[in-house]
Amino acid sequence: MQNIVITGSSSGIGFGLAGAFLSRGCRVVVSSHNTANLDGVFAELSKHHPAGSCFAHSCDVTVLSEVQALWDSSLKDLGKIDIWINNAGAAHAMQPFWKLEADEIRKTVDVNLMGTIYGSYAAMRGMIAQGAGHIYNLEGQGADGSVIAGMGVFGTAKAGVHYFSKSLIAEARETAVNVSTIVPGIVRTSLQEKTAGTTGQGRIFLAMLGEDVRAAAEDLAGRILANTSHGACINRMSPPDMIGKVVSAPLRFLFGQQ
């Protein structure tokens, strides 16, 4: 049984992962800055899983003191934290960055990049103290250096996450803590709807190749729990994964499995 903390887990991939891990007998802490959403998620998960297996704590990942409080509260609940997933993310409207509001720019960078840095900071220090643990950082568009028009700030933040993760993997190599990354693939989430889903081409792309959150999360959870390597990349955008998506797309589209 693994004890797992997931930031930004009141919706999307984070929520899907929480359910998938709980179904595999793990104990999970879900978190979000939105307390109303978090209360609803906790109630939903608690209905389907044993008492004492799911916990919820509010956390704004852009505030280091709140991230540290999430670690402390989760450690009190679980006794030990085996896996910490920096999943919290935010996206801006898909348009040139000079058309964005300054607050959108700041939020996108703070949540995606600083949230990952702060989460890794609290988790690294805590896991070194407890003698073990595994940190996962979510990568995304921009991490591979590609450029998509209208996604400049988001891509820049995720490129920063990629560099930071590579650095952390190198720095953690002599510690008892493992660090890995996750490339979740093309998953239909509210974040995707706010970006790719705002264009006609993007909507077609998501409809044909995008996966249901639950199916993607089940696959990710299995891969994460099976991984014991430091510096691994749980990559659902690999050539075999993409070939499978392309081949199965017509059938999924035909049978409404979108």
Side-chain angles (χ1 to χ4, degrees), residues 154-229:
F154 178 83
T156 296
K158 284 300 187 180
V161 169
H162 178 70
Y163 183 92
F164 170 74
S165 297
K166 287 179 65 177
S167 175
L168 184 58
I169 288 167
E171 292 175 350
R173 200 170 298 280
E174 302 304 319
T175 74
V177 182
N178 288 334
V179 180
S180 296
T181 57
I182 299 171
V183 179
I186 306 164
V187 185
R188 287 187 300 277
T189 64
S190 58
L191 188 146
Q192 289 279 19
E193 290 173 1
K194 293 175 183 176
T195 54
T198 61
T199 68
Q201 184 178 6
R203 284 190 290 272
I204 294 171
F205 179 76
L206 288 176
M208 292 300 295
L209 296 180
E211 292 180 278
D212 175 74
V213 171
R214 180 175 296 182
E218 288 289 342
D219 181 51
L220 279 172
R223 296 193 196 194
I224 290 167
L225 292 176
N227 176 50
T228 58
S229 299

Side-chain angles (χ1 to χ4, degrees), residues 29-86:
V29 174
V30 291
S31 69
S32 171
H33 74 287
N34 188 318
T35 55
N37 286 353
L38 185 61
D39 290 342
V41 163
F42 177 69
E44 177 66 20
L45 292 172
S46 297
K47 282 194 303 185
H48 302 289
H49 301 284
S53 62
C54 183
F55 305 86
H57 295 292
S58 63
C59 176
D60 181 343
V61 297
T62 69
V63 180
L64 179 56
S65 61
E66 292 198 23
V67 179
Q68 185 61 53
L70 175 61
W71 171 273
D72 294 339
S73 298
S74 300
L75 188 62
K76 185 176 180 180
D77 290 333
L78 302 173
K80 180 184 179 183
I81 298 171
D82 300 299
I83 296 174
W84 176 286
I85 301 177
N86 288 310

